[in-house]
């Protein structure tokens, strides 16, 4: 099955700093997605990168994908306290599995 | 509707009781997923529908768990003879053709 594994498990930074989270997976994929989850809420889709893409931007988010290394990274620039949440990567081919996520805390 | 709707938001059940959790997906979304999420963990896949067909139920933890989507829209996750270990948040998501998933707020199940 497709399962992403996020690293680090937890990350604490100051407001204004950049946050980088990494994801590794094991098999070939069609696309890879990143989701955010605020405490007590459902997951929210952030960005999708296709297997033939290497980098994608959306606002303060930058995602990279290296299919040869089976890894992806999510960069959040100029972080805000409101970015505090858990972040999950989700590799997709015929199914999707979520890892344990990265718990990001942005201190004001 | 505007988003994925799940009901009830909270359910307290006595051990041994049967429960039914409902999911109303976004209109037109063919795919629907159920997940179970324990506190501090990521969502664990339970089952997946494409229209009314249940294509993958490999994540259902036991035969006490049953899901259906008879008309390819609303889905129900049923748990029979609930146990304390079933206590969790149950998330439903419907998805676009590219499998971008839209999640409901979840149903928090507490089994006493």
């Amino acid at each position: 099955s497709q399962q992403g594994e996020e690293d680090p498990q937890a990350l604490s930074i100051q407001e204004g700093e950049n946050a980088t989270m990494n994801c590794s997976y094991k098999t070939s994929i069609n696309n890879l997605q990143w989701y955010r989850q605020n405490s007590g809420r459902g997951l929210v889709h952030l960005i999708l990168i296709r297997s033939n893409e290497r980098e994608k931007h959306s606002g303060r988010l930058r995602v990279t994908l290296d299919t040869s290394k089976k890894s992806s990274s999510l960069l959040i620039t100029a972080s805000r306290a409101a970015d505090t949440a858990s972040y999950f990567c989700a590799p997709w081919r015929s199914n999707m599995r979520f890892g344990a996520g990265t718990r990001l805390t942005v201190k004001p | 509707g505007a988003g994925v709707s799940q009901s009830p938001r909270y359910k307290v059940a006595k051990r041994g009781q049967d429960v039914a959790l409902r999911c109303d997906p976004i209109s037109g979304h063919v795919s629907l997923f159920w997940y179970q999420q324990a506190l501090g963990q990521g969502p664990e896949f339970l089952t997946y529908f494409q229209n009314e067909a249940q294509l993958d139920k490999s994540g259902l933890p036991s035969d006490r768990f049953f899901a259906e989507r008879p008309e390819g829209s609303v889905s129900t996750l049923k748990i029979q003879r609930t146990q304390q270990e079933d206590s969790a948040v149950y998330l439903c998501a419907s998805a676009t053709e590219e499998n971008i998933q839209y999640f409901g707020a979840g149903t928090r199940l507490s089994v006493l």
Side-chain angles (χ1 to χ4, degrees), chain B residues 7-111:
Chain B
S7 61
R9 284 296 317 275
Y10 304 93
K11 176 68 179 178
V12 178
K14 292 182 179 178
R15 192 171 50 173
Q17 188 177 353
D18 296 350
V19 299
L21 312 180
R22 178 187 168 104
C23 174
D24 277 274
I26 293 173
S27 178
H29 279 185
V30 168
S31 300
L32 184 146
F33 298 78
W34 283 98
Y35 297 89
Q36 179 190 60
Q37 187 173 28
L39 191 65
Q41 301 296 314
E44 291 283 340
F45 170 82
L46 293 177
T47 187
Y48 156 52
F49 289 87
Q50 199 162 69
N51 295 306
E52 68 278 6
Q54 190 173 19
L55 298 188
D56 187 346
K57 56 181 181 179
S58 62
L60 296 177
S62 77
D63 58 9
R64 297 186 295 104
F65 286 70
F66 172 75
E68 59 184 7
R69 195 186 184 198
E71 296 178 0
S73 178
V74 171
S75 178
T76 303
L77 176 67
K78 297 179 179 178
I79 309 173
Q80 298 177 324
R81 305 181 302 282
T82 53
Q83 304 294 314
Q84 282 190 322
E85 62 262 27
D86 299 335
S87 295
V89 175
Y90 290 85
L91 295 169
C92 173
S94 66
T96 66
E97 288 186 3
E98 209 164 14
N99 197 48
I100 293 174
Q101 299 197 12
Y102 293 83
F103 283 78
T107 294
R108 183 177 298 277
L109 173 65
S110 298
V111 182

Side-chain angles (χ1 to χ4, degrees), chain A:
Chain A
S1 66
Q2 297 293 343
Q3 178 163 5
E5 302 208 1
E6 298 86 357
D7 174 69
Q9 290 186 349
L11 181 61
S12 182
I13 59 174
Q14 292 295 134
E15 207 165 29
E17 293 180 342
N18 296 342
T20 299
M21 288 160 269
N22 301 298
C23 169
S24 60
Y25 58 93
K26 293 183 177 171
T27 61
S28 62
I29 59 172
N30 291 343
N31 65 55
L32 185 141
Q33 302 173 41
W34 285 89
Y35 289 79
R36 182 189 73 223
Q37 185 177 35
N38 290 90
S39 182
R41 304 281 188 94
L43 281 72
V44 174
H45 178 263
L46 293 176
I47 194 165
L48 178 154
I49 186 165
R50 295 181 181 83
S51 60
N52 61 354
E53 297 176 311
R54 291 297 167 257
E55 187 171 313
K56 200 160 184 180
H57 297 254
S58 176
R60 294 183 296 112
L61 304 181
R62 173 178 159 245
V63 169
T64 62
L65 179 65
D66 187 334
T67 52
S68 66
K69 295 181 179 178
K70 294 186 170 55
S71 67
S72 174
S73 67
L74 172 67
L75 169 67
I76 304 174
T77 60
S79 63
R80 305 166 182 169
D83 294 330
T84 293
S86 291
Y87 291 81
F88 299 91
C89 71
W92 167 260
R93 187 174 176 88
S94 57
N95 55 33
M96 179 187 286
R97 302 290 189 270
F98 293 91
T102 292
R103 173 71 189 166
L104 173 66
T105 302
V106 181
K107 300 175 183 177

